[in-house]
Amino acid sequence: MEYLRWSYQDSIATITIQRPPANALSSGLLRELSAVLEEIEPNREIRVIVIHGEGRFFSAGADIKEFTTVTSSEGFANLGKFGQDLFDRMEKFSKPIIAAIHGAALGGGLELAMACHIRYVSETAKLGLPELQLGLVPGFAGTQRLPKYVGVARAAEMLFTSEPITGLEAVQYGLANHAYPENEVLDQAFKLAEKIAKKSPVSISASIQLLNYAKTEEFYEGTKKEAELFGEVFVSNDAKEGIQAFLEKREPNFKGE
């Protein structure tokens, strides 16, 4: 694998995102993650998964340069649908998935983290959905999961300003379970995984199935609409300006076109 490393020991699988410098989520990385889940699911020796990022970040967002290679609204909508389906699978995965977040979980990185069952964060981590800064909208069901955790008003503020919140604020708002000093986050995630791994896999799997009944038809209607608008907004002149401004490291000048 090019972008991920994974192994397991004592019933716990560790998935490490290793795509420096920012662990950006490319379509190739998402395909590798899908392949890892395929391997882990039937392995009865694995009971819990911990996912984390190597280097400075959990994942600082999507691969913006890859966006410039997509040429159509349909292509962008399809990219969104692939990410949505993968993250929905994670949320329904029969083994608990714990995200250990340090540095930053932004854009697609936060959407990945929100698809995990439990999030442990560093106190100073930055969590946010800054897509509107690029003239885009989130595309991996972030618009549907974020308000579920933090409420509509806070989700609106985070989306409209593109400003991240800290790990401590994420716990306060309900987006993360616990916050720790950065050098303790991964160890704490493994301690939790050890505790969960002692439970019956049968009852854990049943609990995950039951928790997913909290996802309503409206959630899936929302993700369908998100994928559609993800593609439509991508071909706007504002999106072209936002992506270009990001690559040129300048403020975008949006004209509402």
Side-chain angles (χ1 to χ4, degrees):
M1 291 206 165
E2 190 175 358
Y3 308 124
L4 297 177
R5 182 178 73 245
W6 84 277
S7 61
Y8 71 95
Q9 183 176 6
D10 299 331
S11 304
I12 300 167
T14 305
I15 300 175
T16 304
I17 306 170
Q18 48 177 18
R19 189 166 186 256
N23 289 334
L25 294 191
S26 64
S27 55
L29 190 152
L30 294 177
R31 281 194 294 272
E32 288 189 6
L33 181 55
S34 178
V36 169
L37 295 177
E38 286 288 342
E39 288 189 64
I40 288 176
E41 189 153 43
N43 189 328
R44 293 171 60 88
E45 294 181 34
I46 297 173
R47 296 189 172 191
V48 186
I49 300 167
V50 174
I51 182 166
H52 73 114
E54 189 172 78
R56 294 172 56 201
F57 306 110
F58 177 78
S59 171
D63 186 342
I64 305 303
K65 287 184 179 175
E66 185 180 46
F67 284 1
T68 63
T69 67
V70 182
T71 57
S72 68
S73 170
E74 186 181 31
F76 215 61
N78 289 338
L79 175 63
K81 182 71 167 52
F82 180 78
Q84 287 181 354
D85 290 347
L86 174 60
F87 293 171
D88 186 60
R89 182 183 178 197
M90 290 174 64
E91 207 161 40
K92 293 175 177 170
F93 206 65
S94 58
K95 305 170 196 285
I97 305 175
I98 302 167
I101 300 165
H102 77 290
L106 299 172
L110 179 57
E111 291 176 300
L112 166 63
M114 287 194 291
C116 298
H117 300 108
I118 294 171
R119 283 159 294 286
Y120 275 12
V121 294
S122 65
E123 295 165 348
T124 56
K126 301 294 185 188
L127 296 88
L129 294 179
E131 285 84 352
L132 271 68
Q133 184 65 21
L134 301 176
L136 302 173
V137 295
F140 297 156
T143 61
Q144 304 306 297
R145 288 197 177 91
L146 185 62
K148 185 175 74 170
Y149 291 119
V150 305
V152 173
R154 281 205 171 99
E157 184 178 11
M158 289 173 69
L159 286 169
F160 298 166
T161 65
S162 301
E163 291 177 0
I165 59 175
T166 67
L168 287 172
E169 288 171 324
V171 173
Q172 180 187 346
Y173 298 166
L175 181 57
N177 296 69
H178 296 285
Y180 299 97
E182 183 163 314
N183 62 352
E184 295 179 17
V185 176
L186 190 55
D187 287 343
Q188 291 292 343
F190 281 125
K191 283 182 183 175
L192 177 67
E194 288 169 9
K195 191 178 291 185
I196 295 172
K198 293 176 183 173
K199 297 289 189 293
S200 156
V202 176
S203 58
I204 287 285
S205 176
S207 297
I208 291 172
Q209 285 185 51
L210 292 167
L211 287 170
N212 272 281
Y213 273 89
K215 292 168 76 174
T216 62
E217 275 301 312
E218 286 76 15
F219 176 88
Y220 289 104
E221 285 297 318
T223 56
K224 187 178 175 184
K225 190 66 178 176
E226 183 192 81
E228 179 187 324
L229 291 176
F230 190 54
E232 282 184 22
V233 172
F234 171 70
V235 295
S236 69
N237 287 330
D238 278 355
K240 292 183 178 68
E241 163 63 10
I243 292 170
Q244 194 63 33
F246 175 83
L247 296 174
E248 294 173 0
K249 302 184 189 310
R250 62 173 171 81
E251 278 284 315
N253 179 21
F254 296 128
K255 296 180 178 176
E257 298 173 347

